[in-house]
Amino acid sequence: MTKNTICLWYDKDAEAAARFYAETFPDSAVGAIIRAPGNYPDGKEGDVLVVEFTVAGIPCIGLNGGSAFKHNEAFSFQIATDDQVETDRYWNAIVGNGGQESDCGWCKDKWGVSWQITPRVLTEALAAGGDQAKRAFDAMMTMRKIDVGVIEAARRG
């Protein structure tokens, strides 16, 4: 295990979530699956307790801790995309697999984990500052999934 690992709390579906992420994002994989050595409040001996996985190069563990805690937007994965095709692929995978859309490039997967599917053109426009940042920002504020063509047009004015 790496020195710093993100721990995500799941009710009981950490393995399913990890497998979905590994199938969806490059540089992602499922590692060790650790089973409970004894009964615990929300599970029994032999149940999957912890799943080690990587999402786009980021080491994570999924803990099947039960229903006590829920995911929220205070934590999200931000995935930088190069074009509309890549943006659509990730967005559609998350939303189309029981997830839900939100505003400004945010969505949630079916386990409640938040994702920002962010085209690089948007990040670059915002970092440039000035009028192009304002135009790109104003365009983004009207969107759910980011439309790369609209952001590019907004940058140009």
Side-chain angles (χ1 to χ4, degrees):
M1 182 181 286
T2 60
K3 189 169 190 83
N4 186 8
T5 302
I6 294 170
C7 179
L8 296 166
W9 183 289
Y10 293 86
D11 186 358
K12 61 184 177 302
D13 295 331
E15 184 177 0
R19 292 194 186 287
F20 172 75
Y21 305 148
E23 293 169 2
T24 302
F25 301 101
D27 196 21
S28 301
V30 177
I33 296 173
I34 301 165
R35 297 190 176 276
N39 294 337
Y40 60 105
D42 285 297
K44 61 186 185 318
E45 182 178 345
D47 287 352
V48 173
L49 181 62
V50 174
V51 178
E52 294 178 7
F53 60 98
T54 304
V55 176
I58 303 295
C60 302
I61 62 171
L63 172 66
N64 282 330
S67 61
F69 300 107
K70 301 293 181 204
H71 297 284
N72 66 51
E73 291 79 3
F75 173 88
S76 64
F77 284 103
Q78 185 178 51
I79 303 293
T81 59
D82 292 324
D83 54 32
Q84 193 66 53
V85 171
E86 188 177 24
T87 300
D88 291 348
R89 182 173 64 242
Y90 297 144
W91 183 273
N92 294 339
I94 292 167
V95 172
N97 188 47
Q100 66 183 60
E101 295 184 352
S102 190
D103 296 327
C104 303
W106 288 64
C107 56
K108 284 186 181 180
D109 65 30
K110 73 179 184 178
W111 301 281
V113 175
S114 291
W115 296 82
Q116 298 177 59
I117 309 302
T118 309
R120 293 181 197 282
V121 67
L122 173 60
T123 305
E124 292 163 2
L126 296 174
D131 290 340
Q132 79 170 278
K134 174 75 169 114
R135 290 189 304 268
F137 180 80
D138 289 346
M140 176 202 67
M141 292 299 293
T142 68
M143 299 177 188
R144 289 193 168 248
K145 177 176 62 177
I146 303 301
D147 184 320
V148 171
V150 171
I151 297 296
E152 289 172 339
R155 280 188 85 176
R156 291 188 301 270

mmCIF file of all heavy atoms in Angstrom, residues 91-139:
data_model
loop_
_atom_site.group_PDB
_atom_site.id
_atom_site.type_symbol
_atom_site.label_atom_id
_atom_site.label_comp_id
_atom_site.label_asym_id
_atom_site.label_seq_id
_atom_site.Cartn_x
_atom_site.Cartn_y
_atom_site.Cartn_z
ATOM 1 N N TRP A 91 -18.664 10.834 -19.152
ATOM 2 C CA TRP A 91 -19.958 11.311 -18.665
ATOM 3 C C TRP A 91 -21.040 10.246 -18.864
ATOM 4 O O TRP A 91 -21.774 9.907 -17.947
ATOM 5 C CB TRP A 91 -20.332 12.594 -19.404
ATOM 6 C CG TRP A 91 -21.608 13.218 -18.945
ATOM 7 C CD1 TRP A 91 -22.873 12.925 -19.393
ATOM 8 C CD2 TRP A 91 -21.773 14.220 -17.947
ATOM 9 N NE1 TRP A 91 -23.797 13.704 -18.744
ATOM 10 C CE2 TRP A 91 -23.141 14.503 -17.849
ATOM 11 C CE3 TRP A 91 -20.880 14.916 -17.140
ATOM 12 C CZ2 TRP A 91 -23.637 15.454 -16.961
ATOM 13 C CZ3 TRP A 91 -21.383 15.864 -16.264
ATOM 14 C CH2 TRP A 91 -22.749 16.115 -16.185
ATOM 15 N N ASN A 92 -21.094 9.709 -20.076
ATOM 16 C CA ASN A 92 -22.121 8.716 -20.394
ATOM 17 C C ASN A 92 -21.926 7.427 -19.602
ATOM 18 O O ASN A 92 -22.910 6.786 -19.212
ATOM 19 C CB ASN A 92 -22.158 8.436 -21.893
ATOM 20 C CG ASN A 92 -22.608 9.653 -22.680
ATOM 21 O OD1 ASN A 92 -23.238 10.564 -22.159
ATOM 22 N ND2 ASN A 92 -22.257 9.683 -23.958
ATOM 23 N N ALA A 93 -20.679 7.037 -19.348
ATOM 24 C CA ALA A 93 -20.419 5.839 -18.552
ATOM 25 C C ALA A 93 -20.940 6.021 -17.129
ATOM 26 O O ALA A 93 -21.599 5.130 -16.583
ATOM 27 C CB ALA A 93 -18.926 5.519 -18.536
ATOM 28 N N ILE A 94 -20.672 7.166 -16.541
ATOM 29 C CA ILE A 94 -21.092 7.409 -15.154
ATOM 30 C C ILE A 94 -22.604 7.585 -15.069
ATOM 31 O O ILE A 94 -23.275 6.909 -14.294
ATOM 32 C CB ILE A 94 -20.355 8.632 -14.571
ATOM 33 C CG1 ILE A 94 -18.871 8.304 -14.412
ATOM 34 C CG2 ILE A 94 -20.963 9.065 -13.239
ATOM 35 C CD1 ILE A 94 -17.989 9.498 -14.139
ATOM 36 N N VAL A 95 -23.137 8.490 -15.861
ATOM 37 C CA VAL A 95 -24.576 8.785 -15.801
ATOM 38 C C VAL A 95 -25.395 7.596 -16.313
ATOM 39 O O VAL A 95 -26.427 7.256 -15.747
ATOM 40 C CB VAL A 95 -24.898 10.073 -16.587
ATOM 41 C CG1 VAL A 95 -26.390 10.304 -16.701
ATOM 42 C CG2 VAL A 95 -24.220 11.276 -15.912
ATOM 43 N N GLY A 96 -24.903 6.933 -17.352
ATOM 44 C CA GLY A 96 -25.636 5.820 -17.943
ATOM 45 C C GLY A 96 -25.591 4.540 -17.141
ATOM 46 O O GLY A 96 -26.297 3.584 -17.443
ATOM 47 N N ASN A 97 -24.782 4.494 -16.097
ATOM 48 C CA ASN A 97 -24.674 3.319 -15.245
ATOM 49 C C ASN A 97 -25.351 3.577 -13.895
ATOM 50 O O ASN A 97 -24.834 3.212 -12.852
ATOM 51 C CB ASN A 97 -23.199 2.937 -15.053
ATOM 52 C CG ASN A 97 -23.026 1.612 -14.349
ATOM 53 O OD1 ASN A 97 -23.671 0.628 -14.691
ATOM 54 N ND2 ASN A 97 -22.158 1.577 -13.358
ATOM 55 N N GLY A 98 -26.488 4.255 -13.939
ATOM 56 C CA GLY A 98 -27.236 4.515 -12.712
ATOM 57 C C GLY A 98 -26.860 5.788 -11.998
ATOM 58 O O GLY A 98 -27.350 6.047 -10.896
ATOM 59 N N GLY A 99 -26.000 6.601 -12.608
ATOM 60 C CA GLY A 99 -25.596 7.859 -11.989
ATOM 61 C C GLY A 99 -26.576 8.977 -12.284
ATOM 62 O O GLY A 99 -27.661 8.737 -12.817
ATOM 63 N N GLN A 100 -26.174 10.187 -11.933
ATOM 64 C CA GLN A 100 -27.048 11.329 -12.186
ATOM 65 C C GLN A 100 -26.245 12.552 -12.578
ATOM 66 O O GLN A 100 -25.128 12.758 -12.113
ATOM 67 C CB GLN A 100 -27.937 11.629 -10.985
ATOM 68 C CG GLN A 100 -27.190 12.110 -9.748
ATOM 69 C CD GLN A 100 -28.102 12.318 -8.570
ATOM 70 O OE1 GLN A 100 -28.749 11.397 -8.116
ATOM 71 N NE2 GLN A 100 -28.138 13.536 -8.061
ATOM 72 N N GLU A 101 -26.836 13.346 -13.448
ATOM 73 C CA GLU A 101 -26.221 14.588 -13.901
ATOM 74 C C GLU A 101 -26.340 15.661 -12.835
ATOM 75 O O GLU A 101 -27.273 15.661 -12.042
ATOM 76 C CB GLU A 101 -26.941 15.102 -15.146
ATOM 77 C CG GLU A 101 -26.813 14.230 -16.349
ATOM 78 C CD GLU A 101 -27.480 14.842 -17.578
ATOM 79 O OE1 GLU A 101 -28.172 15.862 -17.458
ATOM 80 O OE2 GLU A 101 -27.279 14.281 -18.664
ATOM 81 N N SER A 102 -25.398 16.586 -12.887
ATOM 82 C CA SER A 102 -25.480 17.798 -12.091
ATOM 83 C C SER A 102 -25.008 18.942 -12.989
ATOM 84 O O SER A 102 -24.890 18.767 -14.193
ATOM 85 C CB SER A 102 -24.634 17.679 -10.825
ATOM 86 O OG SER A 102 -24.910 18.756 -9.954
ATOM 87 N N ASP A 103 -24.733 20.082 -12.408
ATOM 88 C CA ASP A 103 -24.379 21.264 -13.185
ATOM 89 C C ASP A 103 -22.872 21.406 -13.368
ATOM 90 O O ASP A 103 -22.077 20.888 -12.579
ATOM 91 C CB ASP A 103 -24.921 22.517 -12.490
ATOM 92 C CG ASP A 103 -26.437 22.531 -12.434
ATOM 93 O OD1 ASP A 103 -27.066 22.009 -13.362
ATOM 94 O OD2 ASP A 103 -26.987 23.064 -11.452
ATOM 95 N N CYS A 104 -22.485 22.133 -14.410
ATOM 96 C CA CYS A 104 -21.112 22.591 -14.638
ATOM 97 C C CYS A 104 -20.092 21.457 -14.759
ATOM 98 O O CYS A 104 -18.959 21.575 -14.282
ATOM 99 C CB CYS A 104 -20.684 23.557 -13.532
ATOM 100 S SG CYS A 104 -21.773 24.988 -13.378
ATOM 101 N N GLY A 105 -20.502 20.353 -15.376
ATOM 102 C CA GLY A 105 -19.587 19.241 -15.589
ATOM 103 C C GLY A 105 -19.520 18.240 -14.451
ATOM 104 O O GLY A 105 -18.718 17.316 -14.491
ATOM 105 N N TRP A 106 -20.354 18.405 -13.447
ATOM 106 C CA TRP A 106 -20.384 17.474 -12.319
ATOM 107 C C TRP A 106 -21.450 16.406 -12.553
ATOM 108 O O TRP A 106 -22.510 16.670 -13.111
ATOM 109 C CB TRP A 106 -20.739 18.206 -11.028
ATOM 110 C CG TRP A 106 -19.673 19.104 -10.488
ATOM 111 C CD1 TRP A 106 -19.164 20.219 -11.078
ATOM 112 C CD2 TRP A 106 -19.001 18.984 -9.246
ATOM 113 N NE1 TRP A 106 -18.230 20.789 -10.269
ATOM 114 C CE2 TRP A 106 -18.104 20.062 -9.139
ATOM 115 C CE3 TRP A 106 -19.081 18.069 -8.207
ATOM 116 C CZ2 TRP A 106 -17.286 20.240 -8.029
ATOM 117 C CZ3 TRP A 106 -18.263 18.257 -7.099
ATOM 118 C CH2 TRP A 106 -17.374 19.324 -7.019
ATOM 119 N N CYS A 107 -21.155 15.207 -12.069
ATOM 120 C CA CYS A 107 -22.134 14.132 -12.047
ATOM 121 C C CYS A 107 -21.786 13.211 -10.877
ATOM 122 O O CYS A 107 -20.719 13.340 -10.282
ATOM 123 C CB CYS A 107 -22.166 13.376 -13.381
ATOM 124 S SG CYS A 107 -20.595 12.681 -13.926
ATOM 125 N N LYS A 108 -22.710 12.319 -10.558
ATOM 126 C CA LYS A 108 -22.484 11.341 -9.497
ATOM 127 C C LYS A 108 -22.658 9.954 -10.075
ATOM 128 O O LYS A 108 -23.544 9.719 -10.894
ATOM 129 C CB LYS A 108 -23.497 11.510 -8.367
ATOM 130 C CG LYS A 108 -23.245 12.655 -7.455
ATOM 131 C CD LYS A 108 -24.222 12.626 -6.304
ATOM 132 C CE LYS A 108 -23.976 13.811 -5.402
ATOM 133 N NZ LYS A 108 -24.900 13.811 -4.265
ATOM 134 N N ASP A 109 -21.823 9.031 -9.619
ATOM 135 C CA ASP A 109 -22.019 7.647 -10.023
ATOM 136 C C ASP A 109 -23.108 7.013 -9.153
ATOM 137 O O ASP A 109 -23.635 7.660 -8.239
ATOM 138 C CB ASP A 109 -20.704 6.860 -10.010
ATOM 139 C CG ASP A 109 -20.068 6.688 -8.640
ATOM 140 O OD1 ASP A 109 -20.784 6.645 -7.614
ATOM 141 O OD2 ASP A 109 -18.825 6.581 -8.592
ATOM 142 N N LYS A 110 -23.477 5.789 -9.461
ATOM 143 C CA LYS A 110 -24.600 5.165 -8.752
ATOM 144 C C LYS A 110 -24.309 4.887 -7.288
ATOM 145 O O LYS A 110 -25.215 4.623 -6.520
ATOM 146 C CB LYS A 110 -25.061 3.911 -9.468
ATOM 147 C CG LYS A 110 -24.165 2.715 -9.364
ATOM 148 C CD LYS A 110 -24.825 1.567 -10.120
ATOM 149 C CE LYS A 110 -24.081 0.290 -10.026
ATOM 150 N NZ LYS A 110 -24.803 -0.769 -10.739
ATOM 151 N N TRP A 111 -23.044 5.012 -6.874
ATOM 152 C CA TRP A 111 -22.687 4.838 -5.469
ATOM 153 C C TRP A 111 -22.629 6.177 -4.740
ATOM 154 O O TRP A 111 -22.322 6.230 -3.558
ATOM 155 C CB TRP A 111 -21.352 4.094 -5.360
ATOM 156 C CG TRP A 111 -21.444 2.761 -6.015
ATOM 157 C CD1 TRP A 111 -22.010 1.622 -5.487
ATOM 158 C CD2 TRP A 111 -21.020 2.419 -7.334
ATOM 159 N NE1 TRP A 111 -21.952 0.605 -6.411
ATOM 160 C CE2 TRP A 111 -21.358 1.069 -7.555
ATOM 161 C CE3 TRP A 111 -20.393 3.125 -8.356
ATOM 162 C CZ2 TRP A 111 -21.076 0.401 -8.744
ATOM 163 C CZ3 TRP A 111 -20.117 2.474 -9.539
ATOM 164 C CH2 TRP A 111 -20.452 1.125 -9.729
ATOM 165 N N GLY A 112 -22.903 7.268 -5.458
ATOM 166 C CA GLY A 112 -22.933 8.592 -4.842
ATOM 167 C C GLY A 112 -21.624 9.345 -4.887
ATOM 168 O O GLY A 112 -21.535 10.459 -4.365
ATOM 169 N N VAL A 113 -20.582 8.782 -5.500
ATOM 170 C CA VAL A 113 -19.301 9.471 -5.613
ATOM 171 C C VAL A 113 -19.422 10.545 -6.700
ATOM 172 O O VAL A 113 -19.928 10.286 -7.791
ATOM 173 C CB VAL A 113 -18.160 8.492 -5.948
ATOM 174 C CG1 VAL A 113 -16.844 9.236 -6.183
ATOM 175 C CG2 VAL A 113 -17.997 7.463 -4.827
ATOM 176 N N SER A 114 -18.958 11.745 -6.390
ATOM 177 C CA SER A 114 -19.025 12.868 -7.327
ATOM 178 C C SER A 114 -17.821 12.879 -8.255
ATOM 179 O O SER A 114 -16.695 12.581 -7.849
ATOM 180 C CB SER A 114 -19.076 14.194 -6.564
ATOM 181 O OG SER A 114 -20.304 14.311 -5.891
ATOM 182 N N TRP A 115 -18.089 13.268 -9.492
ATOM 183 C CA TRP A 115 -17.078 13.350 -10.546
ATOM 184 C C TRP A 115 -17.213 14.689 -11.249
ATOM 185 O O TRP A 115 -18.329 15.149 -11.492
ATOM 186 C CB TRP A 115 -17.289 12.234 -11.578
ATOM 187 C CG TRP A 115 -17.111 10.875 -11.000
ATOM 188 C CD1 TRP A 115 -18.039 10.156 -10.302
ATOM 189 C CD2 TRP A 115 -15.934 10.084 -11.028
ATOM 190 N NE1 TRP A 115 -17.511 8.966 -9.900
ATOM 191 C CE2 TRP A 115 -16.215 8.890 -10.340
ATOM 192 C CE3 TRP A 115 -14.670 10.276 -11.592
ATOM 193 C CZ2 TRP A 115 -15.267 7.889 -10.178
ATOM 194 C CZ3 TRP A 115 -13.725 9.267 -11.431
ATOM 195 C CH2 TRP A 115 -14.033 8.090 -10.736
ATOM 196 N N GLN A 116 -16.094 15.301 -11.567
ATOM 197 C CA GLN A 116 -16.055 16.480 -12.426
ATOM 198 C C GLN A 116 -15.410 16.039 -13.726
ATOM 199 O O GLN A 116 -14.233 15.681 -13.737
ATOM 200 C CB GLN A 116 -15.216 17.581 -11.798
ATOM 201 C CG GLN A 116 -15.729 18.098 -10.481
ATOM 202 C CD GLN A 116 -14.783 19.128 -9.919
ATOM 203 O OE1 GLN A 116 -14.522 20.149 -10.539
ATOM 204 N NE2 GLN A 116 -14.238 18.844 -8.749
ATOM 205 N N ILE A 117 -16.165 16.028 -14.796
ATOM 206 C CA ILE A 117 -15.640 15.674 -16.109
ATOM 207 C C ILE A 117 -15.331 17.000 -16.800
ATOM 208 O O ILE A 117 -16.230 17.691 -17.275
ATOM 209 C CB ILE A 117 -16.644 14.809 -16.906
ATOM 210 C CG1 ILE A 117 -17.122 13.619 -16.055
ATOM 211 C CG2 ILE A 117 -16.023 14.368 -18.222
ATOM 212 C CD1 ILE A 117 -16.020 12.702 -15.557
ATOM 213 N N THR A 118 -14.062 17.367 -16.801
ATOM 214 C CA THR A 118 -13.638 18.726 -17.131
ATOM 215 C C THR A 118 -12.719 18.765 -18.351
ATOM 216 O O THR A 118 -11.547 18.393 -18.256
ATOM 217 C CB THR A 118 -12.903 19.347 -15.919
ATOM 218 O OG1 THR A 118 -13.706 19.186 -14.752
ATOM 219 C CG2 THR A 118 -12.623 20.817 -16.149
ATOM 220 N N PRO A 119 -13.231 19.240 -19.477
ATOM 221 C CA PRO A 119 -12.364 19.391 -20.650
ATOM 222 C C PRO A 119 -11.228 20.381 -20.364
ATOM 223 O O PRO A 119 -11.435 21.429 -19.738
ATOM 224 C CB PRO A 119 -13.304 19.928 -21.730
ATOM 225 C CG PRO A 119 -14.671 19.511 -21.277
ATOM 226 C CD PRO A 119 -14.628 19.569 -19.781
ATOM 227 N N ARG A 120 -10.049 20.051 -20.844
ATOM 228 C CA ARG A 120 -8.884 20.916 -20.639
ATOM 229 C C ARG A 120 -9.112 22.314 -21.204
ATOM 230 O O ARG A 120 -8.615 23.293 -20.655
ATOM 231 C CB ARG A 120 -7.645 20.296 -21.276
ATOM 232 C CG ARG A 120 -7.199 19.018 -20.604
ATOM 233 C CD ARG A 120 -5.945 18.444 -21.270
ATOM 234 N NE ARG A 120 -5.739 17.057 -20.925
ATOM 235 C CZ ARG A 120 -5.231 16.625 -19.782
ATOM 236 N NH1 ARG A 120 -4.874 17.491 -18.854
ATOM 237 N NH2 ARG A 120 -5.068 15.334 -19.556
ATOM 238 N N VAL A 121 -9.884 22.430 -22.289
ATOM 239 C CA VAL A 121 -10.137 23.736 -22.887
ATOM 240 C C VAL A 121 -10.831 24.666 -21.881
ATOM 241 O O VAL A 121 -10.568 25.869 -21.863
ATOM 242 C CB VAL A 121 -10.928 23.614 -24.210
ATOM 243 C CG1 VAL A 121 -12.351 23.116 -23.982
ATOM 244 C CG2 VAL A 121 -10.945 24.929 -24.957
ATOM 245 N N LEU A 122 -11.668 24.118 -21.028
ATOM 246 C CA LEU A 122 -12.338 24.928 -20.003
ATOM 247 C C LEU A 122 -11.328 25.383 -18.951
ATOM 248 O O LEU A 122 -11.276 26.567 -18.603
ATOM 249 C CB LEU A 122 -13.477 24.142 -19.355
ATOM 250 C CG LEU A 122 -14.158 24.808 -18.162
ATOM 251 C CD1 LEU A 122 -14.765 26.155 -18.555
ATOM 252 C CD2 LEU A 122 -15.212 23.886 -17.569
ATOM 253 N N THR A 123 -10.519 24.464 -18.468
ATOM 254 C CA THR A 123 -9.511 24.808 -17.463
ATOM 255 C C THR A 123 -8.541 25.855 -18.010
ATOM 256 O O THR A 123 -8.185 26.807 -17.314
ATOM 257 C CB THR A 123 -8.746 23.542 -17.039
ATOM 258 O OG1 THR A 123 -9.693 22.564 -16.601
ATOM 259 C CG2 THR A 123 -7.773 23.827 -15.919
ATOM 260 N N GLU A 124 -8.133 25.679 -19.260
ATOM 261 C CA GLU A 124 -7.205 26.632 -19.885
ATOM 262 C C GLU A 124 -7.841 28.007 -20.036
ATOM 263 O O GLU A 124 -7.179 29.034 -19.801
ATOM 264 C CB GLU A 124 -6.753 26.096 -21.239
ATOM 265 C CG GLU A 124 -5.867 24.870 -21.126
ATOM 266 C CD GLU A 124 -5.733 24.082 -22.424
ATOM 267 O OE1 GLU A 124 -6.309 24.499 -23.456
ATOM 268 O OE2 GLU A 124 -5.052 23.040 -22.400
ATOM 269 N N ALA A 125 -9.117 28.044 -20.411
ATOM 270 C CA ALA A 125 -9.805 29.334 -20.557
ATOM 271 C C ALA A 125 -9.901 30.050 -19.218
ATOM 272 O O ALA A 125 -9.658 31.260 -19.128
ATOM 273 C CB ALA A 125 -11.195 29.126 -21.152
ATOM 274 N N LEU A 126 -10.245 29.326 -18.177
ATOM 275 C CA LEU A 126 -10.368 29.943 -16.856
ATOM 276 C C LEU A 126 -9.009 30.434 -16.358
ATOM 277 O O LEU A 126 -8.909 31.514 -15.780
ATOM 278 C CB LEU A 126 -10.989 28.961 -15.868
ATOM 279 C CG LEU A 126 -12.434 28.539 -16.177
ATOM 280 C CD1 LEU A 126 -12.891 27.463 -15.212
ATOM 281 C CD2 LEU A 126 -13.373 29.729 -16.172
ATOM 282 N N ALA A 127 -7.956 29.652 -16.619
ATOM 283 C CA ALA A 127 -6.615 30.042 -16.181
ATOM 284 C C ALA A 127 -6.096 31.256 -16.950
ATOM 285 O O ALA A 127 -5.292 32.027 -16.423
ATOM 286 C CB ALA A 127 -5.648 28.873 -16.354
ATOM 287 N N ALA A 128 -6.567 31.450 -18.179
ATOM 288 C CA ALA A 128 -6.117 32.581 -18.986
ATOM 289 C C ALA A 128 -6.584 33.914 -18.413
ATOM 290 O O ALA A 128 -5.964 34.949 -18.623
ATOM 291 C CB ALA A 128 -6.611 32.432 -20.430
ATOM 292 N N GLY A 129 -7.689 33.878 -17.682
ATOM 293 C CA GLY A 129 -8.200 35.098 -17.076
ATOM 294 C C GLY A 129 -8.850 36.029 -18.094
ATOM 295 O O GLY A 129 -9.028 35.682 -19.261
ATOM 296 N N GLY A 130 -9.208 37.195 -17.620
ATOM 297 C CA GLY A 130 -9.758 38.229 -18.487
ATOM 298 C C GLY A 130 -11.094 37.869 -19.103
ATOM 299 O O GLY A 130 -11.865 37.075 -18.564
ATOM 300 N N ASP A 131 -11.348 38.483 -20.257
ATOM 301 C CA ASP A 131 -12.638 38.324 -20.932
ATOM 302 C C ASP A 131 -12.897 36.888 -21.365
ATOM 303 O O ASP A 131 -14.024 36.409 -21.273
ATOM 304 C CB ASP A 131 -12.728 39.250 -22.146
ATOM 305 C CG ASP A 131 -12.839 40.716 -21.749
ATOM 306 O OD1 ASP A 131 -13.213 40.995 -20.591
ATOM 307 O OD2 ASP A 131 -12.548 41.580 -22.604
ATOM 308 N N GLN A 132 -11.854 36.192 -21.846
ATOM 309 C CA GLN A 132 -12.107 34.822 -22.303
ATOM 310 C C GLN A 132 -12.491 33.924 -21.134
ATOM 311 O O GLN A 132 -13.335 33.047 -21.283
ATOM 312 C CB GLN A 132 -10.947 34.250 -23.113
ATOM 313 C CG GLN A 132 -9.759 33.752 -22.343
ATOM 314 C CD GLN A 132 -8.786 32.991 -23.220
ATOM 315 O OE1 GLN A 132 -8.985 31.810 -23.487
ATOM 316 N NE2 GLN A 132 -7.745 33.673 -23.673
ATOM 317 N N ALA A 133 -11.919 34.143 -19.963
ATOM 318 C CA ALA A 133 -12.290 33.366 -18.781
ATOM 319 C C ALA A 133 -13.742 33.651 -18.407
ATOM 320 O O ALA A 133 -14.507 32.731 -18.101
ATOM 321 C CB ALA A 133 -11.368 33.699 -17.606
ATOM 322 N N LYS A 134 -14.121 34.896 -18.451
ATOM 323 C CA LYS A 134 -15.496 35.277 -18.113
ATOM 324 C C LYS A 134 -16.490 34.659 -19.088
ATOM 325 O O LYS A 134 -17.518 34.113 -18.688
ATOM 326 C CB LYS A 134 -15.616 36.808 -18.106
ATOM 327 C CG LYS A 134 -17.019 37.343 -17.908
ATOM 328 C CD LYS A 134 -17.475 37.212 -16.471
ATOM 329 C CE LYS A 134 -18.750 37.987 -16.231
ATOM 330 N NZ LYS A 134 -19.886 37.170 -15.916
ATOM 331 N N ARG A 135 -16.194 34.726 -20.380
ATOM 332 C CA ARG A 135 -17.094 34.141 -21.388
ATOM 333 C C ARG A 135 -17.199 32.625 -21.223
ATOM 334 O O ARG A 135 -18.295 32.061 -21.277
ATOM 335 C CB ARG A 135 -16.615 34.495 -22.801
ATOM 336 C CG ARG A 135 -16.793 35.965 -23.163
ATOM 337 C CD ARG A 135 -16.511 36.233 -24.633
ATOM 338 N NE ARG A 135 -15.193 35.794 -25.065
ATOM 339 C CZ ARG A 135 -14.093 36.540 -25.068
ATOM 340 N NH1 ARG A 135 -14.154 37.807 -24.658
ATOM 341 N NH2 ARG A 135 -12.938 36.054 -25.491
ATOM 342 N N ALA A 136 -16.064 31.958 -21.006
ATOM 343 C CA ALA A 136 -16.078 30.498 -20.822
ATOM 344 C C ALA A 136 -16.823 30.132 -19.543
ATOM 345 O O ALA A 136 -17.607 29.180 -19.519
ATOM 346 C CB ALA A 136 -14.653 29.957 -20.786
ATOM 347 N N PHE A 137 -16.597 30.900 -18.482
ATOM 348 C CA PHE A 137 -17.284 30.666 -17.208
ATOM 349 C C PHE A 137 -18.796 30.830 -17.371
ATOM 350 O O PHE A 137 -19.574 29.991 -16.921
ATOM 351 C CB PHE A 137 -16.749 31.621 -16.143
ATOM 352 C CG PHE A 137 -17.386 31.459 -14.804
ATOM 353 C CD1 PHE A 137 -16.991 30.434 -13.951
ATOM 354 C CD2 PHE A 137 -18.382 32.332 -14.375
ATOM 355 C CE1 PHE A 137 -17.579 30.279 -12.713
ATOM 356 C CE2 PHE A 137 -18.980 32.176 -13.141
ATOM 357 C CZ PHE A 137 -18.576 31.149 -12.289
ATOM 358 N N ASP A 138 -19.199 31.909 -18.007
ATOM 359 C CA ASP A 138 -20.633 32.153 -18.220
ATOM 360 C C ASP A 138 -21.261 31.029 -19.046
ATOM 361 O O ASP A 138 -22.374 30.587 -18.749
ATOM 362 C CB ASP A 138 -20.858 33.502 -18.903
ATOM 363 C CG ASP A 138 -20.570 34.683 -17.989
ATOM 364 O OD1 ASP A 138 -20.460 34.480 -16.750
ATOM 365 O OD2 ASP A 138 -20.443 35.810 -18.513
ATOM 366 N N ALA A 139 -20.555 30.549 -20.057
ATOM 367 C CA ALA A 139 -21.064 29.439 -20.872
ATOM 368 C C ALA A 139 -21.181 28.170 -20.027
ATOM 369 O O ALA A 139 -22.193 27.462 -20.079
ATOM 370 C CB ALA A 139 -20.161 29.207 -22.076
#
